[in-house]
């Protein structure tokens, strides 16, 4: 157990729907990162939050949004889902706003859009 | 655009062989290069390299960085079936010269299969 908790582990939903992925960072970590891993794109950075504020943004679609709450857990909201959004979504955390000695990944949420 | 390229994309070897995985990068304001091993699920951290020419070693795995030529290699000696995994290289850049983020740019990965 890495200490980073992601729920749910698997999600199957239909096109056009909206889903929320949840992440609890490792105890003491202030940064949360979201990554998308698909077969053709590899691991792609989506967004980083540090202590409740957005710190860095990648090529995150406008249909996707995220936030980090005062208790430091984070949610990634995916709306108007398309087949191409099917992927493994990872959350990771680190103690501050840098990657340092490799931040810790959660076990991921596998999203299947049908 | 920042980019990380790994080669080869896949590799099949037999137990006991030595393998070398390559990672080249182009990134603005380079901060560090990291190697991860991904088996079935989450990537697990192997090494972080920030300085050229200093080898990092952990058991049968070692890695080195060349900041002049913008590449790194990961060596695995005396491979075992448990080394079968996807090996990911990632680079951490700076948002600006004075501003850090933890954003990592990953390569496509090298899939290593070690046969008994």
């Amino acid at each position: 157990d890495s200490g980073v908790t992601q729920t749910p582990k698997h999600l199957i939903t239909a096109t056009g729907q909206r889903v929320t992925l949840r992440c609890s960072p490792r105890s003491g970590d202030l940064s949360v990162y979201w990554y998308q891993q698909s077969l053709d794109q590899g691991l792609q950075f989506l967004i980083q939050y540090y202590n409740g504020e957005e710190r860095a943004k990648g090529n995150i679609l406008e249909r996707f949004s995220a936030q980090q709450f005062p208790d430091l857990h984070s949610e990634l909201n995916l709306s108007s889902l398309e087949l191409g959004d099917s992927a493994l979504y990872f959350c990771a955390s680190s103690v501050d706003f840098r990657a340092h000695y490799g931040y810790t990944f959660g076990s991921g949420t596998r999203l299947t859009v049908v | 655009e920042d980019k990380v390229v790994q080669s080869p994309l896949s590799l099949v070897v037999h137990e006991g062989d030595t393998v070398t995985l390559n990672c080249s990068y182009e990134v603005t304001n380079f901060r560090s290069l990291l190697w991860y091993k991904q088996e079935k699920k989450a990537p697990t951290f192997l090494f972080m390299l920030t300085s050229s020419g200093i080898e990092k070693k952990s058991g049968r795995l070692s890695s080195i960085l060349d900041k002049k030529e913008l590449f790194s290699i990961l060596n695995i000696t005396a491979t075992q079936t448990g080394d079968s995994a996807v090996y990911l290289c990632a680079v951490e850049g700076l948002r600006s010269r004075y501003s850090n983020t933890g954003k990592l740019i990953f390569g496509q990965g090298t899939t290593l299969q070690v046969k008994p």
Side-chain angles (χ1 to χ4, degrees), chain B:
Chain B
E1 187 184 333
D2 296 341
K3 191 166 61 171
V4 176
V5 177
Q6 293 184 244
S7 65
L9 291 181
S10 66
L11 197 50
V12 180
V13 300
H14 287 93
E15 273 192 318
D17 289 350
T18 293
V19 298
T20 298
L21 310 183
N22 303 294
C23 174
S24 63
Y25 63 90
E26 294 174 30
V27 67
T28 307
N29 297 320
F30 172 88
R31 182 82 190 194
S32 63
L33 184 143
L34 298 92
W35 285 96
Y36 285 85
K37 177 182 182 182
Q38 185 175 24
E39 297 175 85
K40 293 195 175 165
K41 287 212 171 164
T44 54
F45 172 75
L46 294 174
F47 297 111
M48 177 173 164
L49 302 139
T50 55
S51 302
S52 272
I54 299 173
E55 186 183 52
K56 291 278 182 96
K57 208 168 161 62
S58 176
R60 297 177 293 103
L61 278 65
S62 64
S63 183
I64 198 159
L65 173 67
D66 185 329
K67 287 167 74 173
K68 185 179 173 190
E69 300 298 329
L70 307 183
F71 79 90
S72 173
I73 59 172
L74 175 69
N75 279 320
I76 309 175
T77 58
T79 51
Q80 301 170 357
T81 54
D83 295 326
S84 296
V86 176
Y87 289 85
L88 297 166
C89 172
V91 174
E92 180 189 17
L94 295 175
R95 183 165 60 184
S96 70
R97 190 173 173 182
Y98 303 104
S99 175
N100 292 318
T101 77
K103 170 185 172 182
L104 295 180
I105 301 153
F106 281 85
Q108 328 90 294
T110 294
T111 301
L112 173 65
Q113 184 186 356
V114 181
K115 291 187 170 180

Side-chain angles (χ1 to χ4, degrees), chain A residues 49 53 69 73 87 95 101:
Chain A
Y49 278 84
E53 294 193 2
F69 295 87
H73 91 271
V95 65
Y101 287 92

